[in-house]
Amino acid sequence: MTDQAVDTGGVQLSGHAATEGHFLGRTRELKELRADIERTGLDTISGRKAPRARVLLIAGRPGSGRSALAGELVRQVAGRYPDGVLCARLAEPDGTPVPVERAARELLAALDVPTPPGADQDDLAALLRETLAERRALLLLDDAAGAEQVDALLPDAPQCLLVAVSAGPLTGIADVRPCTLGGLDTKSALELLTRYTGSVRITVDPRSAEQLVEACQGQPAALKLAGGWLAARPKAAVADLAKQLHAEGDEGTPLSRVFRLVHTALPAPAARILRLLSLAPAGLADPHTASALAGCSVGAARTTLDDLVALGLLRALDSPLPQYEVPGCLHSLLRTAAEAYERPAELQLARARMLERTVRLLQSCRAITETDSPQAREKLQVMPRALRFPTPRAAADWLQARRPALLASARLAVADGELDTLARRLMSQLVRAMVAHLGTQAAAPDLYGIHQLVLDVAERRRLPREKAAALLNLADVDARTGRTAEALVRYRAALDAGREANDPYAIGRAMESVGGAHLELGDYDRAADWFGRALAQRLARDERADAARLYGRIATAHTYAARYGEAQRAWRAAVAGHRKNDDVGAHARALSELARVQEYAGRPEESLRTCQEAAEWAGRAEDTRLQAALQLRLADTLERLGDAAAARLHRGAAERILGEEPSDGAEEPDRPENTEDACEIRSASPKD
């Protein structure tokens, strides 16, 4: 049975059946759609150039084969669009519209265009239009919930084509003529059944076969379920199924009637797994998901999933790992069946088991990257073998393949509201796994969304410590992407939350970050004031390393404001603090900045002595870049003082240190830089 995989959303078969056949029917619809691509629009008739991409709409009920028709059309015309085909789904399996921001981000990712984390939908939609302005691309937007979604993603590029799939019209988008789908023609419907049953049962009783097609109203999804039922019962006649469907009466749609029959005929364990897949995040499942939902072994779950694929109840995804998708047309039917057969407490328990399994897989995914850590090795050893990844590469592949489902798991867990403890653990482990495998920068767009979810839970549960951590993480991303004003608002909110939680780390971190935001905004007085408040807190807690670093930040603010006397005093305090802390590298950098400020203050001789001292400390710290930069600065200062010979000696020393000719890039910038790094961002959620 497992080699008869089908795509229940349409009539394009996959697996073994696909190798023997081709797209069925819809000849007239395809011809009309292709003609619509070339059709003269209203703008062209009036002599104006079309301002936007041509939009083709394929409308039909779920199960009508609308997605399969769109896919076949795209396959036929893709060669006309050399810049590629971009696909996005605009609705969740339960019909909830996907935010435009998320869809635009996925489309831009397919174009290899980096997207700033935290950008809103208007900015991302504008970036998408800008990216497509000079390209000839084809966009396929499936399950569009409304015209607003499509309009926001519509390129301002007449050379592009957008194919939208929806249940109804897209009122509000100009010059769109929908292709509305009904059932398949009888010949194509019979051929579809034949691919499951073989030709004998159809040819020996053509009348019953036609009655079956009529009972299914030619709907591809219903026909596939009927074909799967017959394929699983080689001795059953087509007439038997037609009679059973007739006995079901006229209640519901043809698809729901066939589904009830197929569901009732399944073995109890398989039927339960199928029903519980309505809980699968984003309609995506793998053997672990099914195993956790049903409380069975991973091996048994995979066997059942493959059997459900053969029956047309699931679709196997083209993925390096075994993954399955619940067809959108079946999602509401599965949910209704789950509510009818399972008690609410059982559904919640199944959801909790699935989230707990996901947390443990994420822990394993991260731990495999920490093979040098005895604690990580110990964690791996106590995990069941089914949850372990053999190599870091295997873990990274799993994380990449399951990324949409993992992000959907976090969103669903937060939306549920009754599993917040599990949701917090899930998001904490998801952040750590992504950082471990992708790095903070590459994962930043996804991490931003996760931090927003953490904030939602923290506010709902009144957890000020977690709220402060989420606000700090979000504000840091805002600050790094140029949204400094927004970052300042969040830093202040984090300070309030930190005070409410009586969390010294969050309070000090927020104070310093407020100062940093003011510094970026050019308000140097407020920056110095907030750095001073953070310094007072660090000194009160005897946190000497942080205090020495904050002296440097205060000095930077004074330097920007041209208050060189105050800047020198603050840098001397920083130098003294780093020396007491035996931080040789920080000591050298602080001396270097002090020398710079002395030069700004018009004290070249004093700057020269400090710079020489900084060079000595940089040598002790084995910081060759700083050594070379200081030698070049010494050369510049000596030239201004009229000692050209000594200047040449220092330039030669810089050459020897770097092992190459000095370049412009070796010189430090004229404007003073803050050489003191900010505190590391702590985890968005409590550590487990």
Side-chain angles (χ1 to χ4, degrees):
M1 284 197 304
T2 57
D3 63 350
Q4 295 178 335
V6 298
D7 173 1
T8 312
V11 295
Q12 181 69 52
L13 301 186
S14 61
H16 177 64
T19 64
E20 297 179 352
H22 55 276
F23 185 84
L24 290 172
R26 307 299 191 193
T27 305
R28 176 181 57 81
E29 290 90 341
L30 281 168
K31 182 179 179 180
E32 291 177 353
L33 286 165
R34 291 173 65 100
D36 278 347
I37 298 175
E38 309 298 338
R39 179 170 53 87
T40 301
L42 297 176
D43 289 293
T44 306
I45 292 174
S46 63
R48 293 175 297 178
K49 183 179 179 181
R52 309 184 80 179
R54 170 59 53 89
V55 179
L56 301 182
L57 170 62
I58 298 174
R61 292 184 301 175
S64 63
R66 57 189 187 176
S67 297
L69 175 59
E72 176 63 13
L73 173 66
V74 167
R75 187 192 67 78
Q76 291 186 10
V77 303
R80 304 183 191 179
Y81 300 91
D83 292 311
V85 175
L86 308 173
C87 303
R89 189 174 294 277
L90 300 186
E92 301 286 5
D94 62 359
T96 303
V98 169
V100 171
E101 172 267 327
R102 196 194 311 163
R105 199 178 290 281
E106 293 295 334
L107 291 169
L108 287 164
L111 289 164
D112 292 326
V113 176
T115 55
D120 61 24
Q121 78 169 45
D122 292 338
D123 290 338
L124 290 169
L127 179 58
L128 178 63
R129 287 192 293 272
E130 179 185 339
T131 302
L132 293 174
E134 302 300 326
R135 304 194 190 200
R136 187 175 178 84
L138 194 163
L139 277 69
L140 173 57
L141 304 182
D142 203 356
D143 284 341
E148 298 80 7
Q149 287 178 303
V150 176
D151 186 65
L153 300 170
L154 182 58
D156 294 330
Q159 72 277 11
C160 291
L161 174 67
L162 188 149
V163 178
V165 177
S166 177
L170 298 177
T171 306
I173 298 180
D175 202 21
V176 178
R177 189 170 71 183
C179 172
T180 304
L181 296 187
L184 284 173
D185 62 273
T186 302
K187 179 183 177 184
S188 298
L190 291 173
E191 186 177 345
L192 178 58
L193 283 174
T194 300
R195 291 186 180 179
Y196 287 90
T197 65
S199 61
V200 174
R201 280 189 281 181
I202 302 299
T203 55
V204 298
D205 193 357
R207 179 58 185 159
S208 294
E210 290 176 2
Q211 289 176 345
L212 179 57
V213 168
E214 184 178 348
C216 293
Q217 294 182 9
Q219 293 294 304
L223 288 167
K224 288 180 179 181
L225 293 188
W229 187 91
L230 288 168
R233 295 164 179 78
K235 295 184 179 180
V238 175
D240 296 334
L241 179 56
K243 290 177 183 177
Q244 291 193 47
L245 281 178
H246 182 72
E248 286 280 326
D250 296 330
E251 183 182 352
T253 65
L255 179 60
S256 65
R257 292 194 291 273
V258 180
F259 173 79
R260 284 197 299 270
L261 189 152
V262 171
H263 174 261
T264 303
L266 286 173
R272 185 164 187 267
I273 286 181
L274 177 64
R275 293 191 299 268
L276 293 177
L277 287 178
S278 62
L279 303 177
L284 300 171
D286 66 354
H288 275 290
T289 304
S291 164
L293 285 170
C296 64
S297 71
V298 176
R302 179 165 187 181
T303 299
T304 300
L305 292 173
D306 287 335
D307 289 342
L308 294 175
V309 167
L311 292 170
L313 293 161
L314 290 182
R315 183 165 69 91
L317 296 180
D318 183 12
S319 169
L321 302 174
Q323 285 206 92
Y324 308 82
E325 183 178 36
V326 177
C329 60
L330 296 183
H331 188 272
S332 63
L333 299 174
L334 295 182
R335 184 177 56 194
T336 300
E339 292 170 352
Y341 283 84
E342 313 286 340
R343 293 193 299 271
E346 291 174 336
L347 293 176
Q348 192 70 326
L349 180 59
R351 188 180 286 111
R353 284 197 304 265
M354 178 182 67
L355 293 178
E356 181 64 38
R357 177 73 60 86
T358 305
V359 168
R360 299 191 70 189
L361 284 166
L362 286 167
Q363 288 174 330
S364 177
C365 180
R366 176 175 60 92
I368 194 64
T369 68
E370 303 172 349
T371 51
D372 294 336
S373 166
Q375 294 85 356
R377 287 199 301 270
E378 185 178 342
K379 274 187 178 182
L380 281 174
Q381 289 303 316
V382 298
M383 283 186 177
R385 185 175 296 276
L387 300 182
R388 297 185 215 164
F389 294 96
T391 63
R393 180 65 187 178
D397 289 343
W398 174 83
L399 185 66
Q400 180 62 31
R402 293 292 293 165
R403 172 185 163 274
L406 292 170
L407 294 173
S409 293
R411 292 191 295 267
L412 290 174
V414 172
D416 180 273
E418 297 182 9
L419 298 170
D420 280 346
T421 300
L422 262 176
R424 290 160 61 202
R425 291 177 58 217
L426 171 63
M427 290 185 288
S428 175
Q429 293 302 326
L430 184 53
V431 167
R432 295 174 187 178
M434 285 187 161
V435 170
H437 286 280
L438 305 176
T440 303
Q441 191 66 28
D446 288 339
L447 297 182
Y448 194 90
I450 297 170
H451 294 323
Q452 287 179 314
L453 293 174
V454 173
L455 180 60
D456 291 344
V457 174
E459 290 178 334
R460 181 166 65 211
R461 291 292 181 179
R462 298 182 181 179
L463 303 170
R465 184 188 295 269
E466 284 80 0
K467 180 179 178 180
L471 285 165
L472 287 170
N473 284 328
L474 289 167
D476 286 337
V477 177
D478 287 335
R480 285 198 299 270
T481 50
R483 299 188 297 272
T484 311
E486 293 88 340
L488 180 57
V489 172
R490 279 183 161 146
Y491 283 136
R492 287 183 175 274
L495 177 59
D496 293 339
R499 285 170 171 162
E500 183 182 351
N502 194 25
D503 183 345
Y505 172 87
I507 294 170
R509 171 80 161 72
M511 284 180 174
E512 182 176 351
S513 297
V514 169
H518 281 303
L519 188 69
E520 185 66 27
L521 292 170
D523 192 343
Y524 306 128
D525 291 337
R526 280 196 174 94
D529 175 58
W530 279 101
F531 288 146
R533 297 186 198 189
L535 172 64
Q537 192 225 28
R538 300 294 189 184
L539 290 173
R541 295 175 55 80
D542 198 30
E543 296 172 349
R544 298 181 181 180
D546 286 326
R549 182 176 48 74
L550 279 162
Y551 276 121
R553 302 208 74 179
I554 293 170
T556 300
H558 287 316
T559 304
Y560 284 169
R563 294 190 291 266
Y564 300 127
E566 294 177 57
Q568 288 179 73
R569 286 192 291 275
W571 275 123
R572 287 193 179 98
V575 168
H578 290 311
R579 185 170 58 246
K580 288 179 181 178
N581 296 330
D582 291 327
D583 190 337
V584 179
H587 186 188
R589 292 192 294 274
L591 282 169
S592 171
E593 293 300 323
L594 175 58
R596 187 198 297 276
V597 176
Q598 288 169 339
E599 187 173 347
Y600 291 158
R603 299 181 177 182
E605 292 86 359
E606 195 173 332
S607 174
L608 193 63
R609 290 192 296 272
T610 305
C611 202
Q612 288 171 333
E613 184 182 357
E616 293 175 7
W617 283 97
R620 297 181 193 180
E622 298 182 350
D623 188 338
T624 55
R625 287 187 60 83
L626 181 58
Q627 280 183 278
L630 287 165
Q631 291 295 337
L632 290 172
R633 196 192 301 169
L634 283 166
D636 289 342
T637 304
L638 287 166
E639 281 182 349
R640 284 192 287 272
L641 292 174
D643 192 344
R648 284 195 297 273
L649 289 174
H650 284 288
R651 289 193 189 281
E655 292 180 28
R656 289 192 297 275
I657 291 170
L658 293 176
E660 59 184 17
E661 292 294 323
S663 64
D664 293 339
E667 188 71 63
E668 291 181 317
D670 289 333
R671 180 164 178 167
E673 296 289 339
N674 173 26
T675 59
E676 309 294 338
D677 294 331
C679 296
E680 289 186 3
I681 305 171
R682 68 176 174 179
S683 172
S685 301
K687 294 183 179 180
D688 57 343

